[in-house]
């Protein structure tokens, strides 16, 4: 019995992003990872700095018969660009390029008509909310916390 579409949605999002040619040299990870200064570009799915909450979800009955349920959830994510220099403008632009790839991956196209459904895992998904984080302790680091919000029927 299926109680949530969260696992399928996370798995589909990881597969979709890892298959994008523009993200070929980006680490797309399914968890927090230790800081690896050789990995300059990363996208974390189900994690963002400063919180252990990976996903927030809510369910309710879809109608009076209590036969189906609606589920809404947000997957916390984080994209980061880092370099050994102090060039914040470049890192900020690069971090938003990473976010742009995620957003494009969630758009329907003729070639990918099921993209917003995460290949059928949910009714729809979209990139929502974000926060920009910047630091210069070990060179320029810009990260963007964002959420992929989904709606499903179970």
């Amino acid at each position: 019995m299926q109680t949530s579409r969260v696992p399928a949605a996370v798995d589909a999002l990881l597969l979709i992003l890892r298959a994008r040619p523009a993200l070929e040299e980006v680490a797309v990870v399914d968890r927090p990872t230790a800081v690896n200064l050789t990995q300059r570009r990363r996208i974390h799915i189900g994690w963002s700095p400063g919180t252990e909450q990976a996903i927030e979800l809510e369910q309710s009955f879809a109608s009076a018969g209590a036969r189906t349920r609606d589920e809404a959830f947000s997957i916390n994510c984080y994209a980061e660009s880092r370099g050994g220099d102090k060039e914040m403008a470049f890192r900020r632009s690069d971090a938003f390029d990473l976010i742009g790839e995620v957003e494009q991956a969630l758009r329907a196209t003729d070639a990918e008509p099921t993209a917003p459904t995460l290949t059928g895992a949910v009714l729809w998904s979209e990139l929502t909310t974000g926060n920009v984080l910047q630091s210069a302790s070990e060179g320029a680091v810009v990260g963007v916390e964002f959420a992929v919000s989904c709606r499903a029927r179970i």
Side-chain angles (χ1 to χ4, degrees), residues 21-44:
L23 297 177
E24 186 176 329
E25 295 185 21
V26 175
V28 178
V29 293
D30 182 16
R31 65 193 182 290
T33 59
V35 174
N36 178 345
L37 299 178
T38 62
Q39 282 184 323
R40 303 288 187 187
R41 304 172 81 213
R42 295 182 294 183
I43 299 174
H44 296 266

Side-chain angles (χ1 to χ4, degrees), residues 54-133:
I55 299 160
E56 181 178 345
L57 65 107
E58 180 180 311
Q59 293 183 357
S60 61
F61 285 117
S63 62
R67 293 179 185 268
T68 59
R69 294 178 64 76
D70 285 331
E71 181 176 50
F73 56 92
S74 293
I75 304 167
N76 291 333
C77 302
Y78 178 70
E80 181 180 271
S81 175
R82 66 173 50 239
D85 57 16
K86 303 286 186 198
E87 186 58 47
M88 231 20 112
F90 175 79
R91 294 292 155 209
R92 193 169 33 252
S93 178
D94 189 44
F96 274 92
D97 286 346
L98 294 175
I99 297 297
E101 283 299 319
V102 174
E103 199 275 332
Q104 287 296 315
L106 298 178
R107 285 191 182 196
T109 65
D110 289 339
E112 297 290 336
T114 64
T117 68
L118 298 175
T119 62
V122 298
L123 297 173
W124 56 258
S125 65
E126 65 180 331
L127 192 141
T128 60
T129 69
N131 295 306
V132 178
L133 310 173

